[in-house]
Amino acid sequence: MSIVNRGFGRRRAVDPELAKRIPPGQHLVPDFPVLSVGPTPRRELRDWSFSINGEIDVPRTLNWVDFRALPSETFTTDIHCVTSWSKLDMQWEGVSLDTLLEDVETEATHVMAFSDGGYETNLALEDITGAKAWLAYSFGGEPLEPEHGGPVRLLVPHLYFWKSAKWVRGLRLMDGDEPGFWERNGYHLRGDPWQEERYWGD
Ligand SMILES: Nc1nc2c(c(=O)[nH]1)N[C@H]1C(S)=C(S)[C@@H](COP(=O)(O)O)O[C@H]1N2
Ligand SMILES: [Mo]
């Protein structure tokens, strides 16, 4: 048995317990890289809102005060970017999507997460419920920095990091799957790092 991941032998050895947490083709980075398609949007909290629309009888919108009144959680996750970096034990605070979607009645199977700046990414409802996804507003005990998606980003750590939409402003409930920004440009519709679902056809 080898504890060395692909693309990993060239780099320094990693503790075997940590190595088990690194999906194939990934390597650890010490810093927290910033990867954004466009400029960083800056939005005052008083102008921020979060909408749930699409396949829902009565669309809803929460403002910042409504959002922060929801129960929140502190949690630690590993993240994996499709460009091959991974980072372990990242500490966040946020609201579980289970909390947000608790009383939403819908026939939807998927959502499109949409953000300030026009970024969007598709997710199966199954992938964002069951304690697997959050709306994160704090990282490392500090308010989430704009470069990393503040005031609020989606966090879906069990999928490649492009699914974790920065500057997220809402979810459009859909009765089927549709590609978002990167998914239209060659990335896999689902993006499970343990299955190496990086690109179309993986
Ligand atoms: N709105 C928005 N969200 C985004 C992106 C983006 O360009 N715009 N990039 C995605 C990609 S490809 C990655 S790897 C992560 C990077 O997050 P970071 O800049 O906090 O490391 O955000 C994801 N979410
Ligand atoms: Mo990415």
Side-chain angles (χ1 to χ4, degrees), residues 32-37 81 119 148 153 161-162 164 166-167:
F32 187 0
V34 171
L35 281 105
S36 306
V37 182
C81 172
Y119 187 84
H148 287 300
R153 81 179 296 161
F161 207 29
W162 88 77
S164 294
K166 303 199 279 191
W167 317 298

Side-chain angles (χ1 to χ4, degrees), residues 14-79:
V14 168
D15 179 278
E17 284 308 307
L18 294 184
K20 281 185 206 154
R21 292 161 59 189
I22 307 171
Q26 297 292 114
H27 69 276
L28 294 182
V29 290
D31 50 334
F32 187 0
V34 171
L35 281 105
S36 306
V37 182
T40 295
R42 313 236 166 204
R43 181 172 289 279
E44 300 289 334
L45 296 180
R46 65 171 179 273
D47 297 330
W48 184 89
S49 62
F50 190 90
S51 300
I52 302 174
N53 58 31
E55 294 293 317
I56 183 172
D57 287 341
V58 184
R60 46 180 88 171
T61 302
L62 293 88
N63 64 23
W64 180 256
V65 175
D66 302 331
F67 171 68
R68 291 296 283 109
L70 296 172
S72 64
E73 302 171 10
T74 301
F75 55 97
T76 302
T77 67
D78 299 346
I79 60 173

